[in-house]
Tab-separated table of all heavy atoms in Angstrom:
chain	number	residue	atom	x	y	z
A	35	LEU	N	12.030	-2.586	-11.241
A	35	LEU	CA	13.382	-2.057	-11.045
A	35	LEU	C	14.425	-3.152	-11.229
A	35	LEU	O	14.171	-4.330	-10.944
A	35	LEU	CB	13.555	-1.503	-9.628
A	35	LEU	CG	13.000	-0.121	-9.302
A	35	LEU	CD1	11.486	-0.129	-9.240
A	35	LEU	CD2	13.569	0.350	-7.971
A	36	THR	N	15.607	-2.741	-11.670
A	36	THR	CA	16.750	-3.651	-11.670
A	36	THR	C	17.115	-3.979	-10.228
A	36	THR	O	17.142	-3.105	-9.364
A	36	THR	CB	17.956	-3.000	-12.366
A	36	THR	OG1	17.615	-2.720	-13.724
A	36	THR	CG2	19.179	-3.914	-12.324
A	37	ASN	N	17.386	-5.254	-9.970
A	37	ASN	CA	17.825	-5.690	-8.641
A	37	ASN	C	19.359	-5.691	-8.612
A	37	ASN	O	19.994	-6.563	-9.200
A	37	ASN	CB	17.288	-7.082	-8.341
A	37	ASN	CG	17.682	-7.568	-6.953
A	37	ASN	OD1	18.422	-6.904	-6.229
A	37	ASN	ND2	17.185	-8.742	-6.581
A	38	PRO	N	19.980	-4.727	-7.934
A	38	PRO	CA	21.444	-4.644	-7.943
A	38	PRO	C	22.111	-5.786	-7.196
A	38	PRO	O	23.327	-5.976	-7.313
A	38	PRO	CB	21.725	-3.302	-7.261
A	38	PRO	CG	20.548	-3.079	-6.373
A	38	PRO	CD	19.382	-3.651	-7.116
A	39	TYR	N	21.325	-6.557	-6.433
A	39	TYR	CA	21.894	-7.657	-5.645
A	39	TYR	C	21.604	-9.024	-6.265
A	39	TYR	O	21.907	-10.055	-5.663
A	39	TYR	CB	21.335	-7.620	-4.221
A	39	TYR	CG	21.493	-6.275	-3.553
A	39	TYR	CD1	20.394	-5.573	-3.074
A	39	TYR	CD2	22.750	-5.691	-3.398
A	39	TYR	CE1	20.538	-4.340	-2.459
A	39	TYR	CE2	22.904	-4.451	-2.792
A	39	TYR	CZ	21.799	-3.786	-2.327
A	39	TYR	OH	21.937	-2.555	-1.715
A	40	ALA	N	21.022	-9.034	-7.458
A	40	ALA	CA	20.673	-10.301	-8.102
A	40	ALA	C	21.906	-11.142	-8.366
A	40	ALA	O	22.966	-10.624	-8.745
A	40	ALA	CB	19.938	-10.031	-9.410
A	41	GLY	N	21.776	-12.433	-8.167
A	41	GLY	CA	22.825	-13.374	-8.504
A	41	GLY	C	23.943	-13.506	-7.506
A	41	GLY	O	24.929	-14.208	-7.760
A	42	ARG	N	23.838	-12.818	-6.352
A	42	ARG	CA	24.896	-12.923	-5.350
A	42	ARG	C	24.317	-12.623	-3.975
A	42	ARG	O	23.228	-12.047	-3.872
A	42	ARG	CB	26.020	-11.920	-5.637
A	42	ARG	CG	25.559	-10.454	-5.625
A	42	ARG	CD	26.642	-9.508	-6.124
A	42	ARG	NE	26.183	-8.116	-6.210
A	42	ARG	CZ	26.232	-7.226	-5.235
A	42	ARG	NH1	26.751	-7.596	-4.040
A	42	ARG	NH2	25.810	-5.998	-5.391
A	43	TYR	N	25.035	-13.024	-2.951
A	43	TYR	CA	24.615	-12.689	-1.594
A	43	TYR	C	25.346	-11.424	-1.157
A	43	TYR	O	26.583	-11.375	-1.151
A	43	TYR	CB	24.936	-13.821	-0.610
A	43	TYR	CG	24.595	-13.440	0.811
A	43	TYR	CD1	23.269	-13.466	1.238
A	43	TYR	CD2	25.577	-13.012	1.700
A	43	TYR	CE1	22.932	-13.093	2.528
A	43	TYR	CE2	25.246	-12.632	2.993
A	43	TYR	CZ	23.920	-12.672	3.402
A	43	TYR	OH	23.585	-12.294	4.673
A	44	GLU	N	24.584	-10.411	-0.800
A	44	GLU	CA	25.141	-9.159	-0.320
A	44	GLU	C	24.703	-8.970	1.132
A	44	GLU	O	23.508	-8.855	1.412
A	44	GLU	CB	24.645	-7.992	-1.165
A	44	GLU	CG	24.994	-6.613	-0.617
A	44	GLU	CD	26.478	-6.430	-0.377
A	44	GLU	OE1	27.251	-6.607	-1.347
A	44	GLU	OE2	26.860	-6.129	0.774
A	47	ILE	N	22.377	-4.776	2.477
A	47	ILE	CA	21.486	-4.315	1.418
A	47	ILE	C	20.769	-3.007	1.785
A	47	ILE	O	20.020	-2.457	0.976
A	47	ILE	CB	20.438	-5.392	1.060
A	47	ILE	CG1	19.552	-5.712	2.269
A	47	ILE	CG2	21.133	-6.648	0.538
A	47	ILE	CD1	18.413	-6.683	1.947
A	50	MET	N	20.175	0.431	-0.412
A	50	MET	CA	19.110	0.554	-1.408
A	50	MET	C	17.818	1.084	-0.791
A	50	MET	O	17.026	1.745	-1.470
A	50	MET	CB	18.857	-0.786	-2.094
A	50	MET	CG	17.861	-0.704	-3.243
A	50	MET	SD	17.679	-2.289	-4.096
A	50	MET	CE	16.444	-1.864	-5.327
A	85	VAL	N	10.009	-10.541	-6.334
A	85	VAL	CA	11.446	-10.572	-6.610
A	85	VAL	C	11.723	-11.589	-7.710
A	85	VAL	O	11.218	-12.721	-7.671
A	85	VAL	CB	12.241	-10.940	-5.335
A	85	VAL	CG1	13.745	-10.925	-5.612
A	85	VAL	CG2	11.889	-9.979	-4.195
A	86	GLY	N	12.527	-11.209	-8.692
A	86	GLY	CA	12.906	-12.133	-9.748
A	86	GLY	C	13.745	-13.288	-9.218
A	86	GLY	O	14.314	-13.222	-8.122
A	87	ALA	N	13.842	-14.350	-10.023
A	87	ALA	CA	14.412	-15.608	-9.571
A	87	ALA	C	15.878	-15.541	-9.159
A	87	ALA	O	16.356	-16.391	-8.414
A	87	ALA	CB	14.251	-16.664	-10.667
A	88	ALA	N	16.619	-14.537	-9.613
A	88	ALA	CA	18.023	-14.420	-9.232
A	88	ALA	C	18.199	-13.627	-7.939
A	88	ALA	O	19.327	-13.406	-7.503
A	88	ALA	CB	18.833	-13.774	-10.360
A	89	GLY	N	17.083	-13.189	-7.355
A	89	GLY	CA	17.142	-12.450	-6.097
A	89	GLY	C	16.652	-13.302	-4.947
A	89	GLY	O	16.344	-14.480	-5.110
A	90	GLU	N	16.569	-12.695	-3.773
A	90	GLU	CA	16.084	-13.395	-2.592
A	90	GLU	C	14.937	-12.617	-1.956
A	90	GLU	O	14.770	-11.408	-2.184
A	90	GLU	CB	17.211	-13.610	-1.577
A	90	GLU	CG	17.860	-12.329	-1.082
A	90	GLU	CD	18.909	-12.596	-0.004
A	90	GLU	OE1	18.525	-13.022	1.096
A	90	GLU	OE2	20.112	-12.370	-0.282
A	93	HIS	N	15.258	-9.121	-0.429
A	93	HIS	CA	15.342	-7.945	-1.278
A	93	HIS	C	13.976	-7.259	-1.374
A	93	HIS	O	13.888	-6.038	-1.462
A	93	HIS	CB	15.848	-8.310	-2.672
A	93	HIS	CG	17.217	-8.923	-2.660
A	93	HIS	ND1	17.688	-9.708	-3.689
A	93	HIS	CD2	18.224	-8.872	-1.736
A	93	HIS	CE1	18.927	-10.103	-3.418
A	93	HIS	NE2	19.263	-9.620	-2.233
A	96	LEU	N	13.021	-4.715	1.431
A	96	LEU	CA	13.520	-3.336	1.376
A	96	LEU	C	12.393	-2.334	1.144
A	96	LEU	O	12.559	-1.139	1.381
A	96	LEU	CB	14.560	-3.199	0.258
A	96	LEU	CG	15.912	-3.864	0.498
A	96	LEU	CD1	16.711	-3.914	-0.796
A	96	LEU	CD2	16.685	-3.125	1.585
A	178	ALA	N	11.912	-9.835	-14.565
A	178	ALA	CA	12.969	-10.699	-15.078
A	178	ALA	C	13.773	-11.208	-13.894
A	178	ALA	O	13.620	-10.735	-12.759
A	178	ALA	CB	13.858	-9.915	-16.044
A	179	ALA	N	14.657	-12.160	-14.126
A	179	ALA	CA	15.406	-12.774	-13.025
A	179	ALA	C	16.176	-11.756	-12.204
A	179	ALA	O	16.339	-11.905	-10.988
A	179	ALA	CB	16.347	-13.840	-13.567
A	180	ASP	N	16.638	-10.682	-12.858
A	180	ASP	CA	17.448	-9.689	-12.159
A	180	ASP	C	16.655	-8.415	-11.847
A	180	ASP	O	17.211	-7.328	-11.773
A	180	ASP	CB	18.700	-9.341	-12.967
A	180	ASP	CG	18.377	-8.710	-14.312
A	180	ASP	OD1	17.187	-8.747	-14.745
A	180	ASP	OD2	19.295	-8.163	-14.945
A	181	GLU	N	15.331	-8.553	-11.656
A	181	GLU	CA	14.484	-7.402	-11.380
A	181	GLU	C	13.623	-7.628	-10.133
A	181	GLU	O	13.503	-8.751	-9.630
A	181	GLU	CB	13.563	-7.109	-12.565
A	181	GLU	CG	14.287	-6.620	-13.814
A	181	GLU	CD	13.334	-6.323	-14.955
A	181	GLU	OE1	12.313	-7.034	-15.080
A	181	GLU	OE2	13.616	-5.391	-15.722
A	182	ILE	N	13.014	-6.549	-9.663
A	182	ILE	CA	12.033	-6.593	-8.585
A	182	ILE	C	10.853	-5.722	-9.006
A	182	ILE	O	11.042	-4.659	-9.592
A	182	ILE	CB	12.582	-6.035	-7.255
A	182	ILE	CG1	13.883	-6.720	-6.846
A	182	ILE	CG2	11.540	-6.175	-6.135
A	182	ILE	CD1	14.531	-6.099	-5.608
Side-chain angles (χ1 to χ4, degrees):
L35 281 72
T36 299
N37 182 356
Y39 307 122
R42 60 189 176 88
Y43 176 78
E44 171 55 57
I47 62 175
M50 186 176 179
V85 182
E90 60 176 292
H93 300 158
L96 289 167
D180 63 347
E181 292 181 325
I182 306 174

